[in-house]
Amino acid sequence: MAAQFGRRLRKGAATTAVAAVAVAALSASQAPGVNDHGRQAAADATPSPEASASDGSATGNSPYYTDLPPLKSPNPSPSTGPGPGGTGVTEAGIPATVLDAYKKAETALREAKPGCNLPWQLLAAIGRVESGQARGGRVDADGTTLKPILGPQLDGNGFALIRDTDDGAYDGNSSYDQAVGPMQFIPSTWAWAGRDGNDDGKKDPNNIYDAALAAGHYLCRNSWDLSQQGDLDRAILSYNNSREYLNLVMRWLEYYRKGTHEVPDGTGTLPGNRSDDGAGASPTPTTPGATTPGATTPGATAPGSSTPGSDRPKPDKPDKPGGGTTPPK
């Protein structure tokens, strides 16, 4: 009887071990580092505000532009010099100063962290999704946005709850944090990730040179090698921990790798759909100053509009909450 009971115990333990291995394998297949661009769980696409505030992401998993790149790929182009270069694909055009900032950031990271293998097209893909390339390249000669690009105040009302960490120095809000600039950093992340990309002695999240270099260093932390798909996935997910976001950035990355061209500042196309719009179809591309029904850009304001209790412009499209507090490795 004792021997029979012992055999049953051993058999049960073995069965439990097999089940544990199966569960572990299933969990691993759903981990953020897995390259599953064709699959997405609802929980991945819509993280909770509570998780957003503490998951260490640059954006807090907040809304972003969801416009997809055109099905027709742009013609190969060295993306140098003025004008469209004969490609005829408006979405492939990147404003001159913004494009220059991405390329300078890639060069800087090639020297500072050569093992990261950061492609400038990744910065372009994230910049497109985060701010529509600084709202179509509406920047001055030094690369600073003509108007601040601000996300909503992160007061827990549909977004993460992140109380003020910078006394309003970057976002003008001394009650709650707001994401700032063309790469949409929140103040607590910028405090350690910020960089001076144009050598003017300042680290300004509203400046595309500073923001692009900061984004490059952020994506290159943890000894990630972005030429490896697993590390590339992890880096993108660290910016916004959503499978849908990962899939979208990857599509723009692949699109820009096939060819881009330079366009004058202020003439880039503006995306219209956002992940919090509930809109399914891609809008007709617009240029700065044009109006598309139902489509607005982050930081854009109607005449006379303001945030209650504040003289700051009211952002009509939410951008990036969230953020990390651990310095990059």
Side-chain angles (χ1 to χ4, degrees):
M1 175 67 72
Q4 184 177 9
F5 183 69
R7 285 194 298 273
R8 288 178 179 176
L9 281 178
R10 287 192 295 272
K11 182 178 180 181
T15 302
T16 302
V18 170
V21 170
V23 170
L26 178 60
S27 299
S29 70
Q30 297 172 342
V34 175
N35 179 19
D36 64 347
H37 304 308
R39 303 194 303 273
Q40 176 191 350
D44 289 327
T46 313
S48 68
E50 293 79 7
S52 301
S54 60
D55 69 355
S57 73
T59 67
N61 310 324
S62 63
Y64 49 87
Y65 286 115
T66 58
D67 297 52
L68 294 171
L71 294 176
K72 181 180 179 181
S73 299
N75 295 332
S77 166
S79 64
T80 58
T87 65
V89 182
T90 57
E91 288 81 359
I94 299 177
T97 299
V98 177
L99 180 60
D100 185 55
Y102 295 151
K103 291 185 174 182
K104 279 184 167 59
E106 179 195 59
T107 299
L109 265 299
R110 191 182 301 129
E111 296 179 3
K113 298 183 178 180
C116 177
N117 296 304
L118 171 78
W120 67 261
Q121 292 92 340
L122 175 59
L123 298 176
I126 290 177
R128 169 75 186 196
V129 170
E130 295 298 332
S131 69
Q133 311 296 19
R135 290 198 301 238
R138 297 181 67 186
V139 298
D140 64 20
D142 295 323
T144 301
T145 57
L146 299 180
K147 292 183 179 179
I149 302 176
L150 293 173
Q153 68 171 13
L154 306 179
D155 56 5
N157 184 22
F159 305 100
L161 174 59
I162 304 179
R163 301 191 185 279
D164 175 61
T165 62
D166 66 329
D167 197 25
Y170 294 118
D171 54 17
N173 190 336
S174 58
S175 298
Y176 301 96
D177 272 351
Q178 295 176 248
V180 182
M183 301 303 280
Q184 288 292 276
F185 282 98
I186 65 162
S188 60
T189 302
W190 187 259
W192 58 263
R195 295 293 192 278
D196 179 10
N198 60 352
D199 297 321
D200 64 353
K202 298 183 295 183
K203 300 176 181 179
D204 183 2
N206 297 293
N207 182 277
I208 186 59
Y209 288 100
D210 294 359
L213 183 59
H217 277 278
Y218 185 90
L219 294 164
C220 284
R221 71 198 193 285
N222 298 329
S223 299
W224 283 328
D225 177 359
L226 303 186
S227 67
Q228 302 297 316
Q229 189 64 55
D231 282 356
L232 177 59
D233 286 358
R234 293 181 187 95
I236 296 171
L237 285 168
S238 79
Y239 221 89
N240 187 310
N241 191 21
S242 161
R243 294 288 175 188
E244 186 175 63
Y245 184 88
L246 168 63
N247 296 343
L248 184 62
V249 170
M250 281 300 304
R251 287 196 181 192
W252 278 107
L253 170 59
E254 292 162 4
Y255 180 77
Y256 285 139
R257 276 176 165 165
K258 293 176 181 177
T260 61
H261 59 268
E262 179 183 297
V263 299
D265 290 342
T267 65
T269 59
L270 296 179
N273 288 331
R274 291 188 61 80
S275 57
D276 56 337
D277 282 344
S282 297
T284 301
T286 61
T287 55
T291 301
T292 300
T296 51
T297 59
T301 57
S305 64
S306 62
T307 302
S310 170
D311 58 358
R312 295 186 279 64
K314 179 180 179 182
D316 56 0
K317 287 286 181 178
D319 281 287
K320 304 293 115 184
T325 57
T326 304
K329 298 180 180 177

